Amino acid sequence: MDEQKESLRKIVTTLALKNEEIQNFICCLKQSLQNLEANSTRVQGDLENEFSSLHAVLEELKDSMVTRIKQERASRTYELQNQLSACTKALESSEELLELANQTLCSSETDCFTQAAKDIKDSVTMAPAFRLSLKAKASDSMSHLMVDFTQEREMLQAIKFLPVPATPEIQASECQVCDNSVTVVWSLPEPDSKIDHYDLEYRRTNHEGPARAREDYPWMVVEDVKEAEYTLKGLRFDTRYMTFRVKACNKAVAGEFSEPVTLETHAFVFKLDAACAHQNLRVEDMSVEWDSSGGKNAALQDLRKDKTRTNSPMHSPARTAMMSPKRAPSARVGRDRFTAESYTVLGDTMIDAGQHYWEVRFDKDSKAFAVGVALRSLGRFDQLGKSSASWCIHLNNWLQQSLTAKHNNRARTLDCPTPDRIGVYCSYEEGTVCFYNARNKTLLHTFRTKFQQPVIPAFMVWNGSFSVQTGLQVPSIVQCGQKRNSNTSSSNASLT
């Protein structure tokens, strides 16, 4: 009976997941139909506008060319009309002289003939007919204004829809996730010299499968990528995955997006557990500030929490892949606040496997500050580094500034400048806790031990403040340094 119920539960779970997948797909199809209608209307409108624009250009060109013909005709007509008028007048004058000359030849009077012949000769010399050019000033040919639109007609007949760039394919095997940077590499099915640029989109997600209709995070856009790869730098990995897609664009149109590719962005993410913080520490998100007036109502608040206190399993990075992406309840909800001179606050996520890294930026003028890791059994009166349950770097500004490594009430002064940001590296299996100058990754100190139980990020501040940055991968330079030192003994063994 129990086996049948368990089998039926698995079937129910499978069906529920399949139903959710189908519902997401239906939502995507409906959205695609809406997009299709909108896109079809848009491109049809664009086409009509382009043809209207083309018609307007042709009409404008036609009007311009017709005007040119009319102007040329008017100009030549004016020239030929003037020449025709001048020739007509010259011809009339010449005919009068011809008639007068013929009459003079027929005259029998000798005295009159001599004078008339002389006058006719002078008139002929000055006659317009002998001063005219008998070559037309304007040609009647208009062949220079002829047109041949054969080539243009062929170009118009060759008009077709713009070639859409091919869809790129993201090469998942060549993509890299390292040092909180992601390098995405893609390629086209065939080389295309008309590609002008690519548009890359990415978004964070906690789901490895196909994109859902409703995602928790929006797409972020990187435009005008000139090469077939791009590196996103300085990311904070506060989700388990990042999804990428890319499209190619030419000068006029963009192609389809590639199939989305999801890359795992593993990093250590935790929050500060305000419930266990000392009453003089004001915890706001990932920042902590000393508050000398804090805790006036802390006793009443603790009393109220005692009534609702429950013991809950702590979230573990080793079990992240098997659990919901929602943060698990913190184990520190059920414990007392740190008190007395233990100005401590812990992270809400335990480390029971793997390698992890986080950074903390602190006020260098703080009277005291410490960062490290602690066992879950750290007492509410225990100060960091003063018991066997914690390992830390401690800054003291009370009388003179000193930076020391502390564990089990033993301290070692560190001969190095005090950084304003410290990186903490913890390898649970190797029992290693290392502290780095977060800016240049210079190693400050290394603890080597063997953890018997999970550890938790731990912080202390007195008369100062600090802020924590999580979602960081173990830097490559730190990993390389750990490999080089894996076979060497620690110089700080006396503190472990």
mmCIF file of all heavy atoms in Angstrom, residues 17 33 46 115 159 195 226 228 232 258 270 287 334 340 362 370 400 424 484:
data_model
loop_
_atom_site.group_PDB
_atom_site.id
_atom_site.type_symbol
_atom_site.label_atom_id
_atom_site.label_comp_id
_atom_site.label_asym_id
_atom_site.label_seq_id
_atom_site.Cartn_x
_atom_site.Cartn_y
_atom_site.Cartn_z
ATOM 1 N N LEU A 17 4.029 18.798 -12.997
ATOM 2 C CA LEU A 17 5.115 19.473 -13.707
ATOM 3 C C LEU A 17 4.825 19.582 -15.195
ATOM 4 O O LEU A 17 5.073 20.618 -15.827
ATOM 5 C CB LEU A 17 6.437 18.728 -13.477
ATOM 6 C CG LEU A 17 6.997 18.774 -12.053
ATOM 7 C CD1 LEU A 17 8.226 17.887 -11.945
ATOM 8 C CD2 LEU A 17 7.347 20.208 -11.665
ATOM 9 N N LEU A 33 0.943 34.672 -30.956
ATOM 10 C CA LEU A 33 -0.150 35.092 -31.838
ATOM 11 C C LEU A 33 -0.357 36.607 -31.763
ATOM 12 O O LEU A 33 -0.553 37.270 -32.792
ATOM 13 C CB LEU A 33 -1.440 34.360 -31.460
ATOM 14 C CG LEU A 33 -1.513 32.877 -31.856
ATOM 15 C CD1 LEU A 33 -2.744 32.219 -31.245
ATOM 16 C CD2 LEU A 33 -1.532 32.723 -33.371
ATOM 17 N N ASP A 46 4.827 49.644 -42.798
ATOM 18 C CA ASP A 46 6.156 50.083 -43.249
ATOM 19 C C ASP A 46 6.285 49.942 -44.762
ATOM 20 O O ASP A 46 6.864 50.816 -45.435
ATOM 21 C CB ASP A 46 7.248 49.268 -42.547
ATOM 22 C CG ASP A 46 7.353 49.605 -41.068
ATOM 23 O OD1 ASP A 46 6.796 50.643 -40.662
ATOM 24 O OD2 ASP A 46 7.961 48.813 -40.319
ATOM 25 N N GLN A 115 23.440 107.750 -110.749
ATOM 26 C CA GLN A 115 23.186 108.033 -109.342
ATOM 27 C C GLN A 115 22.394 106.896 -108.675
ATOM 28 O O GLN A 115 22.679 106.502 -107.537
ATOM 29 C CB GLN A 115 22.402 109.353 -109.220
ATOM 30 C CG GLN A 115 22.185 109.789 -107.772
ATOM 31 C CD GLN A 115 23.471 110.028 -107.014
ATOM 32 O OE1 GLN A 115 24.453 110.585 -107.598
ATOM 33 N NE2 GLN A 115 23.549 109.605 -105.745
ATOM 34 N N ILE A 159 13.161 44.651 -56.585
ATOM 35 C CA ILE A 159 12.845 44.972 -55.185
ATOM 36 C C ILE A 159 12.192 43.764 -54.522
ATOM 37 O O ILE A 159 11.255 43.158 -55.061
ATOM 38 C CB ILE A 159 11.909 46.193 -55.101
ATOM 39 C CG1 ILE A 159 12.663 47.465 -55.496
ATOM 40 C CG2 ILE A 159 11.355 46.351 -53.683
ATOM 41 C CD1 ILE A 159 11.802 48.715 -55.491
ATOM 42 N N ILE A 195 26.263 41.518 -41.773
ATOM 43 C CA ILE A 195 25.952 41.661 -40.347
ATOM 44 C C ILE A 195 26.659 42.896 -39.811
ATOM 45 O O ILE A 195 27.872 43.042 -39.938
ATOM 46 C CB ILE A 195 26.370 40.410 -39.559
ATOM 47 C CG1 ILE A 195 25.575 39.195 -40.029
ATOM 48 C CG2 ILE A 195 26.157 40.621 -38.068
ATOM 49 C CD1 ILE A 195 24.078 39.333 -39.837
ATOM 50 N N LYS A 226 29.971 43.950 -31.570
ATOM 51 C CA LYS A 226 30.555 43.830 -32.907
ATOM 52 C C LYS A 226 31.132 42.454 -33.197
ATOM 53 O O LYS A 226 31.211 42.047 -34.353
ATOM 54 C CB LYS A 226 31.658 44.882 -33.085
ATOM 55 C CG LYS A 226 31.152 46.327 -33.022
ATOM 56 C CD LYS A 226 30.139 46.610 -34.120
ATOM 57 C CE LYS A 226 29.703 48.074 -34.124
ATOM 58 N NZ LYS A 226 28.707 48.353 -35.181
ATOM 59 N N ALA A 228 31.522 38.086 -32.333
ATOM 60 C CA ALA A 228 30.639 36.951 -32.047
ATOM 61 C C ALA A 228 30.902 36.379 -30.658
ATOM 62 O O ALA A 228 30.807 35.159 -30.439
ATOM 63 C CB ALA A 228 30.801 35.873 -33.110
ATOM 64 N N LEU A 232 30.532 39.568 -19.909
ATOM 65 C CA LEU A 232 29.890 40.375 -18.874
ATOM 66 C C LEU A 232 30.752 40.296 -17.621
ATOM 67 O O LEU A 232 31.027 39.204 -17.123
ATOM 68 C CB LEU A 232 28.485 39.854 -18.585
ATOM 69 C CG LEU A 232 27.467 39.966 -19.733
ATOM 70 C CD1 LEU A 232 26.256 39.092 -19.442
ATOM 71 C CD2 LEU A 232 27.037 41.404 -19.903
ATOM 72 N N SER A 258 18.411 33.590 -30.882
ATOM 73 C CA SER A 258 18.873 32.208 -30.798
ATOM 74 C C SER A 258 18.089 31.458 -29.729
ATOM 75 O O SER A 258 17.373 32.059 -28.920
ATOM 76 C CB SER A 258 20.366 32.183 -30.443
ATOM 77 O OG SER A 258 20.558 32.740 -29.141
ATOM 78 N N PHE A 270 24.454 34.329 1.022
ATOM 79 C CA PHE A 270 23.834 34.248 2.342
ATOM 80 C C PHE A 270 23.393 35.638 2.762
ATOM 81 O O PHE A 270 23.752 36.642 2.134
ATOM 82 C CB PHE A 270 24.799 33.643 3.378
ATOM 83 C CG PHE A 270 26.025 34.489 3.642
ATOM 84 C CD1 PHE A 270 26.022 35.478 4.621
ATOM 85 C CD2 PHE A 270 27.200 34.272 2.926
ATOM 86 C CE1 PHE A 270 27.152 36.241 4.868
ATOM 87 C CE2 PHE A 270 28.326 35.037 3.161
ATOM 88 C CZ PHE A 270 28.308 36.018 4.134
ATOM 89 N N SER A 287 24.374 45.234 5.558
ATOM 90 C CA SER A 287 25.201 46.225 6.246
ATOM 91 C C SER A 287 24.921 46.186 7.747
ATOM 92 O O SER A 287 23.795 45.928 8.168
ATOM 93 C CB SER A 287 24.917 47.626 5.709
ATOM 94 O OG SER A 287 25.250 47.716 4.336
ATOM 95 N N GLY A 334 16.220 30.206 16.348
ATOM 96 C CA GLY A 334 15.887 29.618 17.639
ATOM 97 C C GLY A 334 16.930 29.826 18.701
ATOM 98 O O GLY A 334 16.816 29.234 19.771
ATOM 99 N N ALA A 340 26.596 40.696 26.049
ATOM 100 C CA ALA A 340 27.792 41.140 26.767
ATOM 101 C C ALA A 340 28.740 41.804 25.780
ATOM 102 O O ALA A 340 28.345 42.687 25.039
ATOM 103 C CB ALA A 340 28.429 39.965 27.495
ATOM 104 N N PHE A 362 34.889 47.301 5.511
ATOM 105 C CA PHE A 362 34.677 47.792 6.871
ATOM 106 C C PHE A 362 35.289 49.171 7.047
ATOM 107 O O PHE A 362 36.189 49.591 6.302
ATOM 108 C CB PHE A 362 35.266 46.819 7.900
ATOM 109 C CG PHE A 362 36.735 46.569 7.712
ATOM 110 C CD1 PHE A 362 37.684 47.311 8.403
ATOM 111 C CD2 PHE A 362 37.177 45.570 6.847
ATOM 112 C CE1 PHE A 362 39.029 47.081 8.228
ATOM 113 C CE2 PHE A 362 38.524 45.333 6.670
ATOM 114 C CZ PHE A 362 39.456 46.083 7.360
ATOM 115 N N ALA A 370 36.068 42.268 13.351
ATOM 116 C CA ALA A 370 36.574 40.926 13.091
ATOM 117 C C ALA A 370 35.697 40.254 12.041
ATOM 118 O O ALA A 370 34.489 40.503 11.952
ATOM 119 C CB ALA A 370 36.590 40.085 14.367
ATOM 120 N N GLN A 400 46.309 51.409 19.843
ATOM 121 C CA GLN A 400 47.060 51.546 18.600
ATOM 122 C C GLN A 400 46.556 50.487 17.622
ATOM 123 O O GLN A 400 46.069 49.441 18.037
ATOM 124 C CB GLN A 400 48.565 51.375 18.839
ATOM 125 C CG GLN A 400 48.955 50.021 19.406
ATOM 126 C CD GLN A 400 50.456 49.921 19.642
ATOM 127 O OE1 GLN A 400 51.177 50.895 19.498
ATOM 128 N NE2 GLN A 400 50.922 48.736 19.989
ATOM 129 N N VAL A 424 37.268 36.423 2.227
ATOM 130 C CA VAL A 424 37.367 35.213 3.053
ATOM 131 C C VAL A 424 37.121 33.999 2.163
ATOM 132 O O VAL A 424 36.109 33.923 1.461
ATOM 133 C CB VAL A 424 36.332 35.232 4.201
ATOM 134 C CG1 VAL A 424 36.513 34.000 5.086
ATOM 135 C CG2 VAL A 424 36.457 36.510 5.020
ATOM 136 N N ARG A 484 48.754 25.744 -5.329
ATOM 137 C CA ARG A 484 50.202 25.780 -5.081
ATOM 138 C C ARG A 484 50.527 25.440 -3.633
ATOM 139 O O ARG A 484 51.557 24.829 -3.335
ATOM 140 C CB ARG A 484 50.754 27.165 -5.419
ATOM 141 C CG ARG A 484 50.822 27.460 -6.903
ATOM 142 C CD ARG A 484 51.693 28.667 -7.166
ATOM 143 N NE ARG A 484 51.206 29.858 -6.476
ATOM 144 C CZ ARG A 484 50.387 30.745 -7.010
ATOM 145 N NH1 ARG A 484 49.961 30.568 -8.258
ATOM 146 N NH2 ARG A 484 49.987 31.802 -6.330
#
